[in-house]
Amino acid sequence: MVVDNVIWGAPASGVSALERELARLRRARSAHASEQGHTVARASVLNLVVFATREVHAKRAARTIADLSQRHPSRAIVVWVDRPGSTATDRLAMHCDLPRADGREQVSCEQILVRAPGDAGARLASAVIPLLLPDLPVFLWWTDTPPFDAPHFDAMLELADRFIIDSADFARPELSLKRVREVCARGSGRYGVTDFNWTRLTPWRDLVSAFFDVPAWRPYLDSITGVRVGFTVDADGREVHPSQALLLVGWLASRLGWLAAQSLAPSEAGGMLFSMTRGDGTRIPVRVRPRFERGLEEGDLSGLRIQATRDGKLAEFVVKRAAGNAHVTTSVIIDGSLVTERVMPLSAPRVGDLLGEELTIVASDHVYEDALAALVALS
Amino acid sequence: MTLTANPLRAGPRLSRIPEPSTLVIFGGSGDLSARKLMPALYNLALQRLLPPTFLVVGTARAQLADALFRDELHKAVSEFSRTKPINEEVWRSFADHVHYVSTGTSGGYGVLGDTLNRLEGELGMPGNRLFYLATPPSAYGPIVHGIGAHGLARTNGWSRVVVEKPFGNDLASAVDLSEKLHEVFREDQVFRIDHYLGKETVQNILVLRFANAIFEPLWTRQYVDHVQITVAETLGVEERAGYYDHAGASRDVVQNHLLQLMALVAMEPPIAFDANAVRDEKVKVLRAIRPIATDDVPNTTVRGQYAPGFIEGMAVRGYREEDDVAPNSTTETYVAMRLFIDNWRWEGTPFYLRTGKRMPKRSTEIAIQFRSAPHQVFSRESAAGLEPNTLVLRIQPDEGISLKFGAKVPVQGIRIRSVNMDFVYGASFMVDAPDAYETLILDALRGDATLFTRRDEVEQQWRLVDPIIDAWRAGQIDLPTYASGSWGPTEADLLIARDGRTWRQP
């Protein structure tokens, strides 16, 4: 497949030629800007390496990074590698450009494409290393299911401070998430791992936590008697693995010290039904149910209900996403009567929002790693 | 019963949300409430930063039904919110918990107390109350008295009070105000807002100084020649003339913002970033500032008043021609002064402070000018373009940091020029910075007083400013004028020139 120079910029014959070309582009951009009476700053706070095997993914990633450049100015290195066995290209090529974010250009973002044949394998890391800006963290964003056993995967991981995946795109998440857990364990102290499916849960976790910030409701945390989580499927009811919903259950389990009482099993009504045990030995039935919701992505949470009993009172903590619009309603119901209800904005996040949140976190997110471990223990 | 920390609220992503609480706004139908507080609260709701049960109770003299009050607020928020248009569903859900009580009648405080108890009771709230005094200062005394007499601050939860500047108009009135507040609230329940401290970049001064190891060793008399702090506005008095003509720049800016900036730049490292540790260090350095004796006022301070001139190409009036300003007013709109800090770190290092209205451009910055290299290695000719190293902390606009250093001009031979290395805060982290009021209201709800001014700070700041104002009032000192759109009166240039230095061009 031919590389489109309009999108990826001019080809360069090697690393030094590429750096020269970037310097020339920066000078031209500055000169142009000062004619217009403003300046362009060169600022970088991170290196972002993107790994893609399909052109559409590579382009989408490049556009996302350019749009984020005002908030997270970076050197972006997009590595576009064919699948093994493909004959689309037979040599390694590099291109560079300074893409513009929508109209604004106070800060320039440097974008480099490394186009590689499917058999590039171990050579890849050696093409990327000299392109990294020194002394800045390296974020590695893998846009497909990572090839866990390939040698070039380990070599790329060696470079990373943060490793970003999106398990929503995994073909077989029930298998791949176990491998992600292993990657986490291996990376301890060297790199942190994160998953966009975890990022999507941040507002949900915030809302659930907020219930139990209320001193009067905090004690219910120790006496939860049931959890129900809804996840979105499309109209034809195609099988979707509820990895996002399970990650939320894994989070609750890891924070509250619940253990798996039985393995995950599909429920007859669709979704999954299983139980966990609290620290005091009480069983907690957990139900993960598919729901058809318009306007939501497959696999995204649609709602959540936590039930707890204490001192003879039944409390229900509910978060419900309104179908088709950008809000959630949270409510607290005690012994059947509504105590309080709030509406808050919650729009479906775009990939730029997800990446933007991830780029603000440089250290490991242990809460994620614990939640993933709890999820893996379930299956 | 003591509660353990919420185990769910862990990890790098979840923000700390205040406990369920009630915000009681005195002056609820007033300007500050409409322009700043309500838009800030709405935006906090939008960011999901308010607690699951949260009440707002506005109060003022006028009789107003809840529904009408909410309508007024809806209009105000639509106009002044930093995010537009308004998200109607979120607004409705927020406004459901907004109420209004009139305190115009004799029984008003009783009704307010009953209403608070009833609303909090319905939601099972413990009675955490933040009283916000958004009224003119003359009303503070009666309000605090009303809160005390009706036991509004005595609940099972916490209670706090937020006070806006000005905190008095001299030391005696500031002490008096604090005494009044203390009839009902302990000092740790009093939150005095200086909205400057809510600005991201002001907080960044502490991060720059105390999160980096390379600046602090240079931050002493040994390496610093002098420090210049500038707060320049292009605006005139606008609609604030009524207040401003009594206050002047010294009370409006010097006593609070300028001295706070100076304290942040000059303070010793606190032992922790918490309220008392930070404020202890600020008070310590404020105490170390050498008071200006009456005899020294003419030599070490300059005041000025703007005359007609041009701002960004537009002709503007002089101060005495402004509406609501007396035609013979002697209020200063410009102040410059030289201060010394008598402590180990800063002995003999002058701090030059200046602030003015109708300056050529809006700029707030702190410039630390370092001493020249001890020995000149390069010939005088080749170093002709070299200026001393300067580290500039720009607060607004274009928040950032720049460092000026010498570099070789790229040709044969040695020619040295000064270049600026710029770090633009916005360019590295371009986010919509929260409004200072959002930060400060959230901090007050969480009980974090780090960014609020403590009583002893306020009083120490008045101790420094009062004698200067007294000397000016005694009338022995000129009140020079300066053209609008200039950098202040020539006397200010002479003030710094006597020490062989010049003001920076911000």
Side-chain angles (χ1 to χ4, degrees):
Chain A
M1 206 173 301
V2 181
V3 174
D4 183 347
N5 288 356
V6 175
I7 294 170
W8 299 109
S13 57
V15 172
S16 8
L18 185 121
E19 292 288 0
R20 270 200 306 278
E21 173 64 8
L22 277 175
R24 190 191 67 76
L25 288 169
R26 275 197 300 271
R27 275 200 303 276
R29 180 70 59 87
S30 293
H32 177 72
S34 55
E35 275 171 23
Q36 313 285 318
H38 54 89
T39 54
V40 182
R42 183 189 181 207
S44 298
V45 296
L46 52 96
N47 288 293
L48 178 53
V49 182
V50 184
F51 211 93
T53 50
R54 290 168 54 192
E55 186 178 21
V56 50
H57 289 165
K59 278 185 186 163
R60 188 184 68 165
R63 206 165 42 237
T64 306
I65 296 163
D67 288 344
L68 279 178
S69 64
Q70 302 293 310
R71 280 173 59 200
H72 301 284
S74 59
R75 167 163 282 194
I77 302 162
V78 179
V79 183
W80 168 18
V81 187
D82 290 318
R83 289 176 192 281
S86 160
T87 52
T89 182
D90 55 2
R91 58 184 191 90
L92 215 121
M94 294 190 219
H95 296 246
C96 63
D97 196 10
L98 303 179
R100 287 156 200 264
D102 45 355
R104 297 187 296 182
E105 48 176 285
Q106 293 110 309
V107 190
S108 59
C109 162
E110 301 169 345
Q111 173 194 287
I112 298 165
L113 173 74
V114 178
R115 177 82 178 92
D119 60 1
R123 281 193 288 154
L124 275 177
S126 75
V128 172
I129 292 170
L131 298 173
L132 297 170
L133 292 179
D135 287 337
L136 291 175
V138 179
F139 288 72
L140 174 61
W141 174 20
W142 213 281
T143 63
D144 308 276
T145 308
F148 294 102
D149 298 313
H152 72 277
F153 173 67
D154 278 340
M156 295 295 289
L157 208 50
E158 280 292 311
L159 306 177
D161 295 291
R162 292 274 289 162
F163 175 54
I164 304 172
I165 50 165
D166 187 355
S167 66
D169 291 341
F170 286 2
R172 307 275 312 269
E174 66 280 14
L175 302 178
S176 305
L177 284 173
K178 282 189 187 132
R179 306 299 307 272
V180 175
R181 164 81 192 114
E182 291 163 20
V183 170
C184 270
R186 278 211 313 269
S188 173
R190 288 186 296 138
Y191 56 82
V193 178
T194 190
D195 180 351
F196 282 162
N197 245 352
W198 174 249
T199 326
R200 291 180 185 102
L201 289 176
T202 301
W204 290 85
R205 293 193 299 124
D206 224 338
L207 294 170
V208 172
S209 303
F211 288 131
F212 304 101
D213 285 335
V214 179
W217 301 333
R218 178 83 50 83
Y220 285 110
L221 261 190
D222 301 327
S223 41
I224 290 177
T225 51
V227 177
R228 271 191 267 168
V229 188
F231 68 97
T232 309
V233 290
D234 62 9
D236 57 26
R238 200 162 52 85
E239 282 278 308
V240 177
H241 188 268
S243 58
Q244 197 185 120
L246 289 174
L247 201 50
L248 185 86
V249 175
W251 169 64
L252 285 172
S254 63
R255 297 313 306 163
L256 300 175
W258 303 345
L259 297 172
Q262 56 187 134
S263 300
L264 287 178
S267 141
E268 281 177 20
M272 290 174 175
L273 184 64
F274 55 99
S275 63
M276 307 202 69
T277 23
R278 267 179 8 208
D280 62 5
T282 313
R283 286 211 158 200
I284 307 168
V286 179
R287 175 134 205 214
V288 177
R289 296 171 57 173
R291 325 264 314 185
F292 167 60
E293 301 277 359
R294 260 176 237 287
L296 294 182
E297 293 282 323
E298 277 177 23
D300 276 0
L301 292 200
S302 62
L304 151 97
R305 179 182 296 259
I306 295 173
Q307 290 184 322
T309 316
R310 191 175 187 91
D311 302 332
K313 283 186 186 162
L314 170 68
E316 292 171 275
F317 303 93
V318 184
V319 185
K320 178 125 191 47
R321 192 166 203 160
N325 76 20
H327 294 92
V328 278
T329 307
T330 63
S331 31
V332 178
I333 301 157
I334 294 183
D335 278 342
S337 58
L338 182 68
V339 180
T340 177
E341 187 170 82
R342 282 203 299 171
V343 179
M344 275 161 293
L346 182 68
S347 42
R350 292 162 306 160
V351 66
D353 301 332
L354 300 172
L355 183 63
E357 178 175 327
E358 287 310 327
L359 297 183
T360 60
I361 299 169
V362 182
S364 295
D365 183 350
H366 293 293
V367 178
Y368 164 69
E369 296 178 6
D370 294 347
L372 177 66
L375 186 165
V376 169
L378 270 173
S379 41
Chain B
M1 184 179 72
T2 52
L3 281 168
T4 46
N6 182 352
L8 297 182
R9 209 165 266 299
R13 296 160 202 259
L14 302 189
S15 31
R16 212 181 123 217
I17 290 185
E19 292 173 34
S21 40
T22 306
L23 178 62
V24 184
I25 304 177
F26 290 88
S29 57
D31 210 42
L32 179 70
S33 171
R35 280 168 183 269
K36 293 289 183 187
L37 305 187
M38 285 299 170
L41 289 169
Y42 161 75
N43 278 296
L44 289 174
L46 212 55
Q47 296 162 74
R48 301 185 295 263
L49 289 173
L50 292 178
T53 51
F54 183 70
L55 285 168
V56 180
V57 178
T59 168
R61 291 243 173 94
Q63 296 286 340
L64 212 61
D66 281 356
L68 200 59
F69 182 55
R70 290 173 190 163
D71 285 350
E72 298 275 317
L73 295 179
H74 183 262
K75 260 184 253 162
V77 173
S78 318
E79 186 174 352
F80 298 113
S81 168
R82 71 181 167 89
T83 56
K84 288 174 188 174
I86 289 209
N87 183 326
E88 294 295 342
E89 288 187 61
V90 173
W91 168 259
R92 263 200 303 280
S93 170
F94 170 74
D96 275 350
H97 298 287
V98 175
H99 302 268
Y100 182 85
V101 176
S102 163
T103 42
T105 58
S106 56
Y109 282 88
V111 177
L112 177 61
D114 293 344
T115 311
L116 289 173
N117 290 336
R118 177 175 57 80
L119 293 169
E120 287 167 349
E122 283 170 9
L123 290 169
M125 295 166 70
N128 296 322
R129 293 175 185 171
L130 181 66
F131 298 96
Y132 202 116
L133 308 191
T135 61
S138 58
Y140 290 173
I143 291 171
V144 172
H145 181 76
I147 292 173
H150 292 83
L152 304 187
R154 282 199 304 272
T155 63
N156 292 327
W158 47 256
S159 61
R160 300 176 190 134
V161 64
V162 176
V163 196
E164 282 276 338
K165 81 163 198 180
F167 317 118
N169 51 20
D170 56 15
L171 178 61
S173 56
V175 169
D176 187 50
L177 172 61
S178 289
E179 292 298 331
K180 280 198 185 109
L181 292 167
H182 285 185
E183 284 171 21
V184 178
F185 299 98
R186 293 184 313 269
E187 178 59 25
D188 65 315
Q189 296 174 289
V190 179
F191 287 66
R192 294 177 191 81
I193 279 199
D194 183 334
H195 71 269
Y196 247 61
L197 298 183
K199 289 182 189 294
E200 291 277 321
T201 38
V202 173
Q203 298 162 44
N204 203 25
I205 297 173
L206 294 180
V207 175
L208 174 86
R209 285 192 59 196
F210 304 128
N212 295 296
I214 59 167
F215 299 114
E216 209 45 30
L218 303 177
W219 220 261
T220 74
R221 61 187 302 278
Q222 210 179 338
Y223 298 104
V224 176
D225 179 74
H226 72 281
V227 176
Q228 291 187 20
I229 306 179
T230 304
V231 175
E233 299 171 81
T234 52
L235 295 178
V237 284
E238 317 298 311
E239 72 272 15
R240 292 173 67 226
Y243 156 75
Y244 194 89
D245 202 36
H246 293 287
S250 46
R251 291 189 179 95
D252 191 43
V253 179
V254 179
Q255 186 268 343
N256 38 65
H257 306 328
L258 262 180
L259 287 175
Q260 282 287 325
L261 289 180
M262 179 166 166
L264 290 172
V265 170
M267 69 193 262
E268 296 298 315
I271 53 167
F273 189 63
D274 71 37
N276 277 329
V278 170
R279 298 188 298 180
D280 286 347
E281 295 302 336
K282 281 201 289 176
V283 169
K284 239 168 76 185
V285 76
L286 286 168
R287 286 215 189 101
I289 297 176
R290 189 186 305 161
I292 297 182
T294 311
D295 293 347
D296 291 332
V297 169
N299 304 323
T300 53
T301 71
V302 169
R303 57 178 178 158
Q305 192 184 61
Y306 63 82
F310 299 92
I311 296 286
E312 293 175 14
M314 304 280 285
V316 294
R317 292 186 287 186
Y319 181 71
R320 291 181 180 182
E321 288 95 62
E322 299 274 15
D323 300 335
D324 300 322
V325 170
N328 58 350
S329 169
T330 55
T331 301
E332 77 285 357
T333 63
Y334 176 94
V335 176
M337 61 175 68
R338 186 187 67 186
L339 293 171
F340 286 100
I341 298 175
D342 290 332
N343 69 7
W344 196 278
R345 185 191 286 259
W346 294 116
E347 187 57 45
T349 309
F351 283 69
Y352 299 96
L353 276 52
R354 62 176 163 165
T355 178
K357 288 193 171 293
R358 290 288 189 224
M359 301 270 107
K361 70 190 250 201
R362 171 171 165 262
S363 170
T364 300
E365 61 158 48
I366 299 163
I368 292 120
Q369 187 170 323
F370 294 93
R371 293 181 190 276
S372 306
H375 167 64
Q376 194 50 267
V377 175
F378 303 101
S379 71
R380 180 178 298 202
E381 195 178 47
S382 60
L386 185 63
E387 297 161 57
N389 296 123
T390 311
L391 182 71
V392 181
L393 316 179
R394 286 190 308 274
I395 309 291
Q396 62 182 18
D398 297 333
E399 297 84 343
I401 295 160
S402 64
L403 178 64
K404 189 192 288 182
F405 62 96
K408 180 180 172 304
V409 178
V411 277
Q412 299 93 333
I414 298 275
R415 291 257 302 285
I416 302 171
R417 278 257 303 277
S418 283
V419 294
N420 264 338
M421 186 163 68
D422 252 318
F423 165 74
V424 184
Y425 189 62
S428 287
F429 306 97
M430 179 117 13
V431 279
D432 291 334
D435 183 78
Y437 275 92
E438 289 170 37
T439 308
L440 293 172
I441 290 175
L442 204 57
D443 278 1
L445 288 170
R446 289 171 180 151
D448 181 350
T450 312
L451 301 177
F452 295 81
T453 321
R454 206 166 57 186
R455 174 182 182 164
D456 47 358
E457 290 178 76
V458 171
E459 292 175 3
Q460 193 56 34
Q461 288 166 353
W462 281 120
R463 271 189 205 104
L464 294 167
V465 172
D466 274 354
I468 301 170
I469 297 175
D470 289 346
W472 287 342
R473 197 185 293 144
Q476 308 302 322
I477 298 145
D478 296 346
L479 174 63
T481 56
Y482 59 98
S484 288
S486 71
W487 284 110
T490 33
E491 283 79 353
D493 297 333
L494 296 176
L495 169 81
I496 195 166
R498 279 199 290 275
D499 298 340
R501 301 184 174 102
T502 53
W503 291 108
R504 285 170 41 79
Q505 182 87 33

